[in-house]
């Protein structure tokens, strides 16, 4: 994990910050997400049908389950010091080029795109995050995610 002082963050613009540890996406996680969101589409939760009928021959994680793991995974890559809070400020862009099959491992790759002062107390950082799938060429997710740092 890289520790970068908030005052030095802009020096890392257009730089690959790093990769998170791998995290396995289990069918239990997919089911829990389906239960929490009410999205019980068969491609996610009907294991036998998905093995027979889905293009991936497996159940797959919800796209929003994948994107919801970005803050957790990115915490393993970068810690910005000199802050009192780091706030998930949202997304500018989001795409899901590939599906995450149940049992697959994912990780994030983070590049710092931009840093801008909002005021004396807040700094907005824009990161490009790719969620990579172990053994796959295409990423599961590509997101331009925003983090508001508070001094």
């Amino acid at each position: 994990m890289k520790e970068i002082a908030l005052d030095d963050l802009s020096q890392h613009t257009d730089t690959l910050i790093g990769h998170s540890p791998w995290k396995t996406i289990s069918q239990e996680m997919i089911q829990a997400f389906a239960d929490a969101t009410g999205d019980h589409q068969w491609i996610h939760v009907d294991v036998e049908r998905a093995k027979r009928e889905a293009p991936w021959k497996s159940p797959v994680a919800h796209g929003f389950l994948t994107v919801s793991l970005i803050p957790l995974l990115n915490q393993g890559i970068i810690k910005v010091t000199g802050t009192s809070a780091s706030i998930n400020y949202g997304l500018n862009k989001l795409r899901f080029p590939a599906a995450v099959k149940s049992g697959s491992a994912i990780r994030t790759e983070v590049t710092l795109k931009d840093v801008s002062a909002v005021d004396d107390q807040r700094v907005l950082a824009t990161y490009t995050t790719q969620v990579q799938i172990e053994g796959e060429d295409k990423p599961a997710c590509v997101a331009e995610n925003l983090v508001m740092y508070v001094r």
Side-chain angles (χ1 to χ4, degrees):
M1 175 189 308
K2 287 189 180 179
E3 286 195 22
I4 302 173
L6 182 59
D7 291 337
D8 298 334
L9 190 60
S10 63
Q11 296 172 22
H12 299 272
T13 302
D14 296 323
T15 301
L16 174 66
I17 304 299
H19 296 87
S20 73
W22 292 101
K23 180 168 186 60
T24 299
I25 306 303
S26 68
Q27 188 60 39
E28 292 77 19
M29 289 173 66
I30 295 169
Q31 184 65 51
F33 191 85
D35 293 342
T37 62
D39 182 352
H40 291 93
Q41 187 176 173
W42 67 269
I43 63 171
H44 306 302
V45 298
D46 189 332
V47 174
E48 294 309 313
R49 183 176 177 191
K51 286 179 181 178
R52 284 190 320 270
E53 299 178 31
W56 314 278
K57 300 300 180 200
S58 168
V60 294
H62 304 73
F64 283 107
L65 168 56
T66 303
V67 76
S68 74
L69 294 171
I70 287 175
L72 170 70
L73 294 169
N74 286 359
Q75 287 176 46
I77 299 173
I78 183 172
K79 178 179 180 179
V80 177
T81 61
T83 64
S84 62
S86 298
I87 301 165
N88 176 354
Y89 200 68
L91 303 165
N92 284 337
K93 298 178 183 177
L94 176 64
R95 298 289 181 267
F96 299 111
V100 178
K101 296 177 196 173
S102 178
S104 295
I106 63 171
R107 72 175 182 182
T108 53
E109 175 184 275
V110 174
T111 301
L112 179 61
K113 184 174 179 181
D114 186 56
V115 178
S116 59
V118 175
D119 56 32
D120 290 347
Q121 295 300 310
R122 298 177 298 159
V123 174
L124 182 64
T126 304
Y127 295 94
T128 301
T129 298
Q130 282 195 34
V131 179
Q132 300 172 334
I133 308 166
E134 191 171 33
E136 299 285 334
D137 293 332
K138 284 186 177 180
C141 175
V142 179
E144 191 174 282
N145 58 300
L146 309 172
V147 179
M148 182 71 71
Y149 296 110
V150 182
R151 293 186 191 277

